[in-house]
Amino acid sequence: MSDFLIRNARTVLTMDDDSRELTDVDIHVRDGVIAEIGRDLPAGPEVIEASGCVVTPGLVNTHHHLYQSLTRAVPGGQDALLFGWLQTLYPIWARFGPEEIYTSTLTGLAELALSGCTLTSDHLYLYPNGARLDDSIAAARDIGLRFHPTRGAMSIGESDGGLPPDSLVEKEAAILEDCIRVIDAFHDPSDGAMLRVGVAPCSPFSVSRELMRDAARLARDKGVMLHTHLAENDEDIAYSLEKFGCRPGQYAEDLGWTGDDVWHAHCVKLDTQEIDLFARTRTGVAHCPCSNCRLGSGIAPVRAMRDAGVRVGLGVDGSASNDTGNLVAEARQAMLLQRVSRGADAMSAREALWIATRGGAQVLGRDDCGQVAVGKRADLALWDVTGIDSAGSWDPAAMLLAGPMKVRHLLVEGRQIVRDGAILSIDLPKTVSAQNRLAHRLAN
Ligand SMILES: [Zn+2]
């Protein structure tokens, strides 16, 4: 098992309960766990020099559609609003199969790892041509990131008045059956789990009320988490009022979609009552600032949510609505967006980084991750602050104001995934070339 000494870290942003910032300390990692933090610890079998580095917990990504990394910057969708954007991309996604899911997921995970992410969820809600959740899980195992895949689904196709083509929707009974299959096959509830499965109908406008309700029952029966998109933009609110006769928060509450085992993506348009509902029920939010900007959805009321006590994490969202997958850049964007709407003191660089680490871990129900503390999992990001990005900074720990956008080293469960800016666990050039070959095939 792993045994590392991270030696002489310039600053450690622990994100622990006291938000301690430690200087010139060593971190001893053993068997996937942080064993000791202190000065002049004895060197283990392997040493990582960290003298020019800020060490943070690995960043946690709470919302993504990794498969979309194969459809970035598609011309017809570049400037479309959400629904038009979906209609441009659905026919392309309908041509995906297992190979596309595996390669796009691996590419997306590699991009996340290089930006400091150690734990990511994924929301895969279409399964054309024999594709399965298993294909994305295989990619996560190959690269070695901690993974929370969610079994997404769509059941209302065009012929039933829905948005997606009929070829991309599934029968609701089959959806629930496959949820049970993947939970039984892959979900690991134990401390330090590398893989946990969630249940995640795509959105209230792509599945029936019955499936939303049954999915919640199934998730509770199996002890797994629930995830979907909610209150993303004005069209979304209008649809909810027209079809369901209530706002999205009410719809979620009525169907069992609130609680500390639920997290919703976006929530750009939550009103005060809905924010109170989420705080009271400890329902989580995946804030996706770049995607919200990219699709013109608006600015999520993150300051108000945090002040009310809502648990908030960050998400890069799908690679086709971002179109990048850089999680530390997302943290910077989250900080900047709150300042646009509320002023320069609305969110500090340190708070945004807290949301990106500890906040995300809380949203995903991972008390064992998200902080640099003895006994927690050794998911660590080391950021080199001796380079051009930080040059001239008076406070290198305020990384999101002036700092690197890629990690120097990354450890997951005590295993080194990135060393000196290069991914160790997969052949990255080979992955990129496979990805480009598949994208070319889809485009022609
Ligand atoms: Zn999404």
Side-chain angles (χ1 to χ4, degrees):
M1 289 296 281
S2 59
D3 195 345
F4 278 102
L5 186 73
I6 296 170
R7 187 156 64 192
N8 205 22
R10 175 173 173 163
T11 305
V12 179
L13 302 176
T14 65
M15 309 297 172
D16 66 8
D17 292 341
D18 301 318
S19 292
R20 289 182 306 151
E21 296 186 7
L22 311 173
T23 52
D24 303 325
V25 293
D26 304 333
I27 302 169
H28 182 200
V29 168
R30 193 176 53 229
D31 298 339
V33 171
I34 297 168
E36 200 176 359
I37 303 170
R39 294 211 166 140
D40 303 320
L41 300 181
E46 289 198 63
V47 172
I48 298 175
E49 284 299 337
S51 55
C53 292
V54 169
V55 180
T56 67
L59 274 53
V60 178
N61 181 35
T62 60
H63 185 64
H64 207 327
H65 313 287
L66 287 157
Y67 80 90
Q68 291 179 7
S69 68
L70 260 174
T71 48
R72 303 209 250 205
V74 171
Q78 284 182 17
D79 305 316
L81 300 179
L82 177 64
F83 285 12
W85 172 87
L86 282 170
Q87 280 163 326
T88 302
L89 292 169
Y90 280 144
I92 304 171
W93 295 336
R95 294 164 55 205
F96 276 40
E99 187 186 6
E100 282 79 7
I101 299 292
Y102 173 83
T103 302
S104 56
T105 303
L106 194 59
T107 306
L109 290 171
E111 191 181 13
L112 284 172
L114 291 170
S115 74
C117 175
T118 52
L119 162 59
T120 182
S121 63
D122 186 35
H123 190 184
L124 181 59
Y125 52 83
L126 41 85
Y127 298 87
N129 307 307
R132 301 192 301 168
L133 195 68
D134 314 38
D135 304 318
S136 65
I137 291 171
R141 284 183 168 161
D142 284 351
I143 194 168
L145 258 60
R146 209 180 289 282
F147 196 43
H148 284 207
T150 61
R151 207 301 181 183
M154 298 190 292
S155 63
I156 303 179
E158 264 172 339
S159 60
D160 291 322
L163 215 54
D166 289 349
S167 64
L168 281 180
V169 304
E170 300 171 89
K171 296 263 184 273
E172 299 200 339
I175 291 166
L176 293 168
E177 212 171 281
D178 198 50
C179 285
I180 294 169
R181 180 187 70 81
V182 292
I183 293 166
D184 290 347
F186 298 111
H187 180 69
D188 177 2
S190 66
D191 209 41
M194 288 297 291
L195 202 142
R196 285 191 189 161
V197 176
V199 173
C202 184
S203 66
F205 57 80
S206 54
V207 300
S208 73
R209 176 185 286 269
E210 288 69 35
L211 185 68
M212 291 293 286
R213 190 197 56 215
D214 292 347
R217 285 180 183 159
L218 170 65
R220 302 232 154 85
D221 184 46
K222 290 284 187 184
V224 303
M225 292 189 73
L226 282 166
H227 180 51
T228 193
H229 294 96
L230 203 79
E232 181 165 353
N233 63 8
D234 289 330
E235 286 169 291
D236 203 336
I237 302 293
Y239 184 93
S240 185
L241 290 170
E242 190 195 325
K243 293 276 182 192
F244 311 135
C246 63
R247 288 186 52 90
Q250 182 74 57
Y251 188 71
E253 187 179 26
D254 289 349
L255 296 172
W257 277 77
T258 51
D260 62 3
D261 55 353
V262 183
W263 85 107
H264 294 285
H266 300 302
C267 299
V268 174
K269 298 293 177 181
L270 288 194
D271 67 11
T272 310
Q273 281 180 329
E274 289 168 320
I275 290 171
D276 286 346
L277 169 70
F278 275 39
R280 203 170 60 244
T281 55
R282 299 197 50 73
T283 306
V285 169
H287 172 45
C288 306
C290 286
S291 171
N292 297 158
C293 291
R294 159 74 167 79
L295 289 171
S297 302
I299 301 173
V302 173
R303 179 73 275 146
M305 289 181 197
R306 300 239 326 130
D307 290 347
V310 176
R311 301 179 309 153
V312 180
L314 288 186
V316 303
D317 200 7
S319 305
S321 68
N322 186 310
D323 292 313
T324 69
N326 184 313
L327 193 52
V328 73
E330 212 69 36
R332 178 176 160 84
Q333 188 75 5
M335 171 188 77
L336 296 176
L337 261 191
Q338 291 310 301
R339 292 172 178 223
V340 168
S341 59
R342 305 278 295 246
D345 60 353
M347 184 173 287
S348 69
R350 283 170 168 80
E351 183 181 5
L353 203 54
W354 189 96
I355 295 170
T357 52
R358 186 85 185 266
Q362 284 183 348
V363 165
L364 295 184
R366 297 302 301 249
D367 289 340
D368 54 343
C369 300
Q371 46 182 317
V372 186
V374 172
K376 301 298 179 187
R377 310 318 296 186
D379 291 4
L380 300 166
L382 280 68
W383 309 86
D384 183 352
V385 292
T386 63
I388 185 73
D389 313 292
S390 307
S393 171
W394 290 33
D395 181 9
M399 270 177 34
L400 297 181
L401 288 172
M405 287 287 119
K406 284 193 173 170
V407 280
R408 179 162 181 198
H409 305 298
L410 190 79
L411 278 78
V412 180
E413 190 70 1
R415 286 184 283 267
Q416 197 164 7
I417 304 297
V418 177
R419 180 185 295 156
D420 289 323
I423 294 191
L424 297 178
S425 46
I426 59 165
D427 183 339
L428 190 60
K430 196 173 142 200
T431 303
V432 170
S433 105
Q435 171 92 337
N436 284 331
R437 182 175 49 79
L438 291 174
H440 182 78
R441 196 162 80 190
L442 288 165
N444 291 286

